[in-house]
């Protein structure tokens, strides 16, 4: 299974308080038809924080079933509680995920040694390929390149990282220090192309929920050496990238998918609908960029 290119951090459609299985399967199918390289259910964008363990297992299972091995599935299974992360990883493994995405424990703010021990415990109790997820804007903790490099060397199950700092100097230091073959995905849609240019492998993307073809084509163009085309797509995506963050993710992207008729725009508290003035701005941007 190849982990490179554009992976979508999937939203989770809800209806009547539960996962909307039909909308979810249709969204996954559309993503694959549009050429996406991989799928990531139950991440931040998928509102995993407000899902029960049973629902997370269900969402991952649906995604794996619908993907039918056509693209890899990296399942969100992280927690700030190591035992809970082990449990969620076991669920992902049973569901048939190819790897899991493991957020650095939030709120606790573990030391570098604590991070290492967290991943060692995960590997010991639920061995499968893991991607570390470094997103200090969500966790209050910025895992430094030397820490991630140490984890990569000492925990063979950790095969890559989703880097969401948006800091290219940090990303460059990370790639420099990590072992050969360590996979670095951008978790920041604004900097996917610059990250590719310094040795990154692709993106785990929010905007690809609504523009999977564009994100996939940009990554493919860069890999093929067509940097002019990649740059052209990068600038085509930038207005959409900005629109996806006019309020907290996943509010704008899920609202966009609702406007596209892909799902019912439904959130779980404490996530609430987009402010009316932002909804109007979002609709105009989507129209201007041919999304709706």
């Amino acid at each position: 299974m190849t982990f490179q290119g554009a992976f979508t951090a999937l939203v989770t459609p809800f209806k009547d308080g539960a996962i909307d299985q039909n909308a979810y399967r249709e969204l996954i199918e559309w993503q694959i038809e549009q050429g996406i390289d991989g799928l990531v259910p139950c991440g931040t964008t998928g509102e995993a924080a407000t899902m029960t363990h049973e629902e997370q297992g269900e969402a991952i299972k649906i995604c794996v079933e619908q993907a039918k091995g056509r693209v890899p599935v990296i399942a969100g299974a992280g927690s700030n509680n190591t035992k809970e992360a082990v449990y969620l990883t076991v669920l992902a493994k049973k569901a048939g995920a190819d790897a899991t995405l493991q957020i650095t424990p939030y709120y606790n703010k573990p030391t570098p040694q604590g991070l290492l021990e967290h991943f060692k415990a995960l590997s010991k109790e639920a061995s499968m390929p893991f991607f570390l997820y470094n997103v200090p804007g969500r966790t209050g903790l910025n895992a430094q390149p030397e820490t991630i490099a140490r984890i990569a060397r000492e925990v063979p199950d950790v095969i890559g990282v989703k880097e969401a700092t948006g800091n290219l100097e940090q990303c460059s230091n990370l790639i420099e220090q990590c072992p050969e073959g360590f996979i670095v995905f951008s978790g920041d849609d604004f900097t996917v192309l610059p990250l590719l240019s310094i040795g990154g492998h692709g993106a785990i993307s929010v905007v690809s929920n609504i523009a999977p073809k564009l994100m996939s084509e940009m990554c493919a163009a860069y890999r093929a050496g067509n940097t002019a085309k990649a740059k052209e797509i990068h600038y085509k995506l930038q207005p959409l990238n900005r629109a996806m963050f006019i309020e907290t993710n996943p509010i704008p992207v899920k609202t966009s998918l609702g406007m596209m008729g892909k799902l019912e725009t439904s959130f779980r508290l404490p996530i609430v609908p987009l402010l009316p003035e932002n909804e109007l701005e979002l609709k105009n941007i989507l129209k201007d960029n041919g999304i709706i």
Side-chain angles (χ1 to χ4, degrees):
M1 196 59 77
T2 304
F3 296 106
Q4 69 171 1
F7 281 56
T8 296
L10 287 167
V11 304
T12 307
F14 296 125
K15 191 174 184 180
D16 302 324
I19 296 170
D20 185 341
Q21 286 205 28
N22 290 336
Y24 199 33
R25 287 184 183 276
E26 286 171 12
L27 177 64
I28 290 164
E29 196 58 35
W30 178 68
Q31 287 280 322
I32 295 170
E33 286 169 3
Q34 290 286 301
I36 207 67
D37 298 302
L39 299 165
V40 185
C42 298
T44 305
T45 310
E47 295 175 82
T50 54
M51 291 165 71
T52 66
H53 293 166
E54 184 181 55
E55 286 175 324
Q56 276 195 246
E58 180 190 357
I60 295 165
K61 190 163 179 265
I62 291 167
C63 187
V64 171
E65 283 177 1
Q66 195 63 36
K68 298 183 182 76
R70 290 173 290 173
V71 296
V73 174
I74 303 172
S79 173
N80 67 337
N81 175 337
T82 304
K83 284 185 178 179
E84 185 177 45
V86 167
Y87 179 74
L88 291 170
T89 301
V90 169
L91 285 182
K93 196 172 181 177
K94 283 180 180 173
D98 298 291
T100 64
L101 184 64
Q102 298 288 344
I103 197 164
T104 59
Y106 42 89
Y107 190 75
N108 327 57
K109 296 178 81 170
T111 62
Q113 187 65 33
L115 281 177
L116 177 65
E117 295 302 331
H118 172 77
F119 284 99
K120 277 185 173 177
L122 266 179
S123 187
K124 184 181 176 185
E125 300 295 327
S127 181
M128 69 181 295
F130 304 140
F131 284 83
L132 188 151
Y133 181 17
N134 188 34
V135 56
R138 294 270 183 181
T139 64
L141 171 79
N142 187 5
Q144 294 300 308
E146 55 270 24
T147 302
I148 295 174
R150 185 183 172 201
I151 293 167
R153 286 192 302 269
E154 296 190 30
V155 188
D157 279 340
V158 179
I159 61 169
V161 62
K162 176 183 178 184
E163 234 300 331
T165 59
N167 182 331
L168 287 170
E169 182 184 3
Q170 181 166 326
C171 292
S172 179
N173 291 339
L174 174 71
I175 293 166
E176 179 188 2
Q177 294 176 36
C178 282
E180 188 74 28
F182 191 71
I183 299 159
V184 180
F185 279 124
S186 170
D188 172 64
D189 284 335
F190 298 94
T191 59
V192 176
L193 182 56
L195 183 64
L196 286 169
S197 77
I198 59 170
H201 295 76
I204 295 177
S205 169
V206 173
V207 78
S208 62
N209 275 281
I210 64 166
K213 193 167 187 284
L214 282 177
M215 183 57 81
S216 178
E217 284 181 348
M218 183 179 75
C219 293
Y222 187 83
R223 284 201 308 274
N226 192 344
T227 53
K229 183 181 178 185
K231 186 172 75 170
E232 181 189 332
I233 298 171
H234 166 80
Y235 284 111
K236 198 178 281 188
L237 280 168
Q238 287 295 69
L240 295 173
N241 292 337
R242 286 190 291 271
M244 293 308 96
F245 293 92
I246 53 173
E247 283 186 28
T248 303
N249 178 48
I251 301 170
V253 71
K254 212 170 192 185
T255 305
S256 300
L257 286 163
M259 291 175 183
M260 293 165 70
K262 299 289 184 190
L263 49 76
E264 185 180 289
T265 307
S266 176
F267 304 98
R268 284 183 173 176
L269 287 170
I271 299 297
V272 294
L274 207 59
L275 290 169
E277 58 269 31
N278 286 335
E279 188 172 348
L280 181 61
E281 182 185 347
L282 177 64
K283 184 176 279 189
N284 289 334
I285 293 168
L286 295 180
K287 281 180 179 174
D288 290 347
N289 288 275
I291 301 296
I292 58 173

